Amino acid sequence: MNTIYFVRHAHSHYTPDEYGRPLSEEGIAEALKLTKVFNAIEIHAMYASNYQRAIETIQPIANDKNLPIIHEETLNERILAKEIIPDFLSAIQKVWAEPTFSFLGGESNIAAQNRVIPTIEKLLTLHKDENIIIGTHGNILTLLLNHFDKQYNIVFWHSLQMPDIIIAKFENNQLISTERLTY
Amino acid sequence: MNIRQEDDYIIINGFKFEGEISNERCKHCNSQKIRNDQYDAYFCPSCNTWLEEKCSDPYCHYCPQRPDKPIPEQYVK
Ligand SMILES: [Zn+2]
Ligand SMILES: [Zn+2]
């Protein structure tokens, strides 16, 4: 059995630098609270996308547990399009309605799943019977869960908070259950 | 413009909200930045503009309900 604590990043204001945009002030405060949440939970390894906001969200936990955060580009947020899309919500509805559809320079649902799932499978093999934290993003989290179980869809994405913790349990590379860690 | 801090509140010409006055300054006019806690964002009271873009989450607790102007028209003097 593997347990993955998926941590969706805390609040972060938009800047054109998608990689470097930091947490907002509220985001930093929320990230600090997470150390308490994970205080009594044994964690064996920590991973994050290589976006600043995902790393900053779990950095206080890493400091507390004295664990390194391993950056994986494949855990990055789904790229919706190359240019900024004015009607973000309609664009998101479109890609979820048509899993192979992509905007110019963007990733379809299927394409994003194809790049994230091998990483998840690798981590499941590497961390058998262990608990790991993955710092990631709303859309890619929903997409990777959706690969295992179609109940994780656009409605699930809507329900995600900033930050949010989803505990996912896996057995033999299959998703057994998920639960929101409330605190 | 009359700006006061009272405990956790800022009052600008009678417009009251939770926030604080920052030591950092606006790049355009050098006024001290002010933070509005409800929207988790800083603004410049002199320029009456937000100094941070909204995030990209349409279901965010903070950003979608943020008004275009930090100080409503009727309080700008
Ligand atoms: Zn200004
Ligand atoms: Zn926001």
Side-chain angles (χ1 to χ4, degrees):
Chain A
M1 166 107 88
N2 307 78
T3 304
I4 302 182
Y5 295 86
F6 289 105
V7 179
R8 194 229 184 154
H9 66 82
H11 198 221
S12 159
H13 291 287
Y14 177 79
T15 69
D17 176 11
E18 190 63 29
Y19 280 87
R21 62 189 246 220
L23 295 183
S24 68
E25 200 161 303
E26 186 64 28
I28 292 166
E30 290 288 340
L32 283 171
K33 283 189 208 163
L34 296 183
T35 57
K36 237 188 180 151
V37 178
F38 281 95
N39 198 27
I41 301 173
E42 189 184 10
I43 297 296
H44 299 91
M46 295 180 68
Y47 295 84
S49 76
N50 55 13
Y51 285 20
Q52 191 65 24
R53 59 189 186 278
I55 298 163
E56 277 186 9
T57 301
I58 61 169
Q59 190 68 56
I61 308 167
N63 295 349
D64 203 47
K65 298 201 178 286
N66 204 14
L67 284 172
I69 298 172
I70 299 162
H71 304 175
E72 290 273 2
E73 196 174 9
T74 48
L75 299 169
N76 286 359
E77 182 58 306
R78 175 251 287 287
I79 298 161
L80 192 57
K82 192 160 134 252
E83 308 289 338
I84 293 170
I85 291 186
D87 191 351
F88 183 72
L89 211 49
S90 310
I92 285 282
Q93 273 156 0
K94 172 89 177 158
V95 290
W96 277 91
E98 288 178 54
T100 57
F101 174 83
S102 63
F103 289 98
L104 189 66
E107 293 174 295
S108 68
N109 274 17
I110 296 293
Q113 286 173 327
N114 285 345
R115 63 113 158 138
V116 71
I117 291 302
T119 298
I120 298 301
E121 287 174 343
K122 178 186 82 181
L123 298 183
L124 289 175
T125 306
L126 204 58
H127 295 286
K128 272 217 175 346
D129 301 316
E130 291 189 339
N131 305 330
I132 66 171
I133 289 177
I134 295 181
T136 186
H137 306 261
N139 243 285
I140 197 71
L141 170 56
T142 308
L143 283 166
L144 75 88
L145 293 174
N146 175 271
H147 165 82
F148 295 98
D149 187 337
K150 300 295 171 224
Q151 69 163 295
Y152 303 100
N153 54 22
I154 190 168
V155 178
F156 175 82
W157 173 67
H158 291 181
S159 75
L160 287 174
Q161 309 288 307
M162 280 187 291
D164 211 341
I165 305 166
I166 303 296
I167 312 169
K169 296 200 183 285
F170 294 84
E171 187 92 68
N172 300 324
N173 281 11
Q174 297 301 309
L175 179 63
I176 304 301
S177 68
T178 69
E179 189 189 338
R180 172 167 276 123
L181 180 58
T182 48
Y183 57 94
Chain B
M1 182 174 295
N2 180 354
I3 302 176
R4 282 186 296 138
Q5 171 110 46
E6 262 181 35
D7 302 321
D8 294 339
Y9 292 90
I10 303 284
I11 303 154
I12 301 178
N13 296 337
F15 171 57
K16 186 175 178 181
F17 55 92
E18 278 189 60
E20 63 186 15
I21 301 170
S22 163
N23 289 329
E24 286 180 36
R25 301 198 172 245
C26 171
K27 270 191 279 196
H28 304 287
C29 72
N30 212 35
S31 295
Q32 275 176 275
K33 294 180 183 181
I34 293 181
R35 177 180 155 78
N36 185 319
D37 290 344
Q38 185 185 352
Y39 306 118
D40 186 21
Y42 285 91
F43 68 93
C44 171
S46 305
C47 302
N48 198 18
T49 53
W50 295 103
L51 300 171
E52 289 164 304
E53 299 274 347
K54 294 179 179 186
C55 73
S56 50
D57 187 338
Y59 299 93
C60 172
H61 279 318
Y62 307 102
C63 302
Q65 57 279 45
R66 188 173 98 179
D68 288 344
K69 292 281 177 194
I71 308 168
E73 207 61 61
Q74 66 268 34
Y75 295 98
V76 178
K77 288 174 200 155

